[in-house]
Amino acid sequence: MISKSDLPKYLAGVLRTGFVLENTVAMAFKRKGWTVISNRYYLDDVEEKAREIDLLVYRSDLAKDFRVYTTVLVSCKKSDDRVWALLTRAPDLTNPNYNWRPLHIWTNDKVVEYQMGLPDAPTSYHAAAGAQGVVDCLAPPTCDVFALQELARATGDAKTDGMPRNDTNIFNSLSSLMKAQAYELGALPSRRKEPAVYQFNLLSVVDTDLIRVVFDDGAPKAESVTSEHFFARYIVRKKETAARIRFVHLSVLDDAIDDYGRLHVANVKLLGDLKEEFYDGVMTHRARREVFLPDFQVRVLSAINNALDKEGIAAVQQSHIGLDWDKDTKELHIEVDTEQGGVAALQQSKFACRVVANYLKTLYRFSGKWEFAEEIPF
């Protein structure tokens, strides 16, 4: 049995660990309405070992007919004898080798997946989030952090003050965040079945001084900072990708959490709006029509073949059904590659027409003019 007189010694030992900082950060997020998961494990794809990330925090709300999760993966690092230096230079925003607007979103909603897969989606997303009041967590870069270094804290010893002490703790913080994100993105397809959108952010909370060392015109200079963005390129699961990792000093954590809260509110609105925009004139856009074409083909195939069979006409395959928009008549054509007389038989079948109309409305929210037509081979 441990004596009461020894308990303060053990308590002092615990207080020297990083778990105190981790708990402080977790409680800060909880107070502001975030759900917190501590010490979440993931599989390191390089070494095939179980690793852990300090915190996974998220907020969730419904947007239209899917749920939005704004997720922040958090690494917590404390150091009493070292400061973190971020070596920077002016960013080249025109450099094609850098992605200054990385965006990591997973969804099983086909409409959102299509919208977020458009070439200008990251740029539009960042601009729209800024217009919704998101200030810092998606801010454009003011500098390019090209290197990281831990330095010995100044204690008055000329031999050690400010001496470089490698970058191990910084690197561990960054790599754990990037690998954990890759793991979560890879695990979601098998874990999540209900319609959802997950947007990921990476945050390194630091309980030590942060210094920005600026290498621009003239002599390098050092300045104290409380927050900075690091844009990283990395390979996980044999795939190169880009990520934004935000360094935040513990003293400004509450402000950072408030901004992630604004991001969540923006996510719910922006992603919901994107879905509504998809359906606006959906049938006039070939690429949008094809988002649900396989689902449409499967759902109407039986009704179409039933109508053809009643007239002694051979059945068609799923791939023989298409959708085309007539720009002149402003009418949708349900194209079917069938024998002579097949289109007329379909047009006269009340059952086939009812089924097609139902799935045009269910899948595409389309209730405009349409008719069956022969598939045009060229």
Side-chain angles (χ1 to χ4, degrees), residues 42 53-54 74-77 84 167-179 202-206 245-247:
Y42 65 92
I53 190 69
D54 293 331
V74 187
S75 171
C76 305
K77 293 296 182 183
W84 286 16
D167 64 351
T168 301
N169 288 327
I170 307 177
F171 176 79
N172 288 341
S173 177
L174 301 183
S175 63
S176 65
L177 287 169
M178 292 185 289
K179 290 184 177 182
L202 305 181
L203 176 65
S204 178
V205 180
V206 181
I245 300 170
R246 188 179 178 198
F247 293 104

Side-chain angles (χ1 to χ4, degrees), residues 69-329:
Y69 293 86
T70 301
T71 305
V72 186
L73 295 169
V74 187
S75 171
C76 305
K77 293 296 182 183
K78 172 182 173 63
S79 179
D80 293 326
D81 59 353
R82 298 183 184 184
V83 301
W84 286 16
L86 313 175
L87 283 61
T88 73
R89 57 193 168 211
D92 181 0
L93 301 182
T94 64
N95 189 334
N97 297 308
Y98 282 81
N99 181 356
W100 302 110
R101 295 185 182 91
L103 180 59
H104 295 278
I105 286 182
W106 177 90
T107 181
N108 56 3
D109 184 280
K110 290 185 177 181
V111 171
V112 178
E113 182 179 32
Y114 169 83
Q115 295 284 68
M116 296 309 300
L118 296 174
D120 63 344
T123 300
S124 299
Y125 171 85
H126 281 75
Q132 290 295 316
V134 179
V135 180
D136 295 319
C137 57
L138 295 180
T142 58
C143 64
D144 174 14
V145 179
F146 68 88
L148 306 156
Q149 186 65 56
E150 293 177 78
L151 304 172
R153 184 177 296 279
T155 61
D157 186 341
K159 293 183 178 179
T160 62
D161 283 356
M163 292 297 291
R165 293 289 187 253
N166 69 51
D167 64 351
T168 301
N169 288 327
I170 307 177
F171 176 79
N172 288 341
S173 177
L174 301 183
S175 63
S176 65
L177 287 169
M178 292 185 289
K179 290 184 177 182
Q181 177 177 260
Y183 174 81
E184 295 295 338
L185 287 167
L188 280 170
S190 61
R191 182 191 306 154
R192 186 71 188 190
K193 302 305 178 185
E194 296 300 316
V197 182
Y198 286 73
Q199 187 265 329
F200 284 86
N201 304 275
L202 305 181
L203 176 65
S204 178
V205 180
V206 181
D207 187 9
T208 190
D209 292 313
L210 289 172
I211 296 174
R212 181 194 293 138
V213 181
V214 181
F215 290 84
D216 286 337
D217 295 336
K221 61 181 179 180
E223 53 194 31
S224 180
V225 296
T226 55
S227 178
E228 190 57 88
H229 296 267
F230 175 56
F231 294 84
R233 291 181 297 171
Y234 65 102
I235 296 176
V236 176
R237 300 180 186 272
K238 300 180 180 180
K239 181 180 179 181
E240 183 173 341
T241 188
R244 174 200 296 265
I245 300 170
R246 188 179 178 198
F247 293 104
V248 169
H249 190 272
L250 180 61
S251 63
V252 296
L253 176 61
D254 279 349
D255 291 338
I257 297 175
D258 288 340
D259 203 41
Y260 284 116
R262 289 189 289 270
L263 176 61
H264 176 64
V265 173
N267 278 338
V268 174
K269 175 175 172 47
L270 297 178
L271 295 169
D273 288 349
L274 278 179
K275 186 151 189 176
E276 294 303 308
E277 291 170 8
F278 173 89
Y279 291 106
D280 184 15
V282 59
M283 289 307 186
T284 65
H285 295 78
R286 180 187 181 95
R288 293 191 207 173
R289 293 196 302 268
E290 292 185 350
V291 169
F292 288 114
L293 181 58
D295 301 278
F296 179 77
Q297 292 170 328
V298 168
R299 286 165 170 76
V300 303
L301 181 62
S302 178
I304 286 176
N305 281 333
N306 181 272
L308 295 175
D309 182 63
K310 286 183 178 180
E311 300 298 323
I313 300 174
V316 299
Q317 298 178 17
Q318 177 181 325
S319 60
H320 293 167
I321 303 170
L323 297 173
D324 189 47
W325 180 255
D326 190 320
K327 292 184 292 185
D328 297 326
T329 64

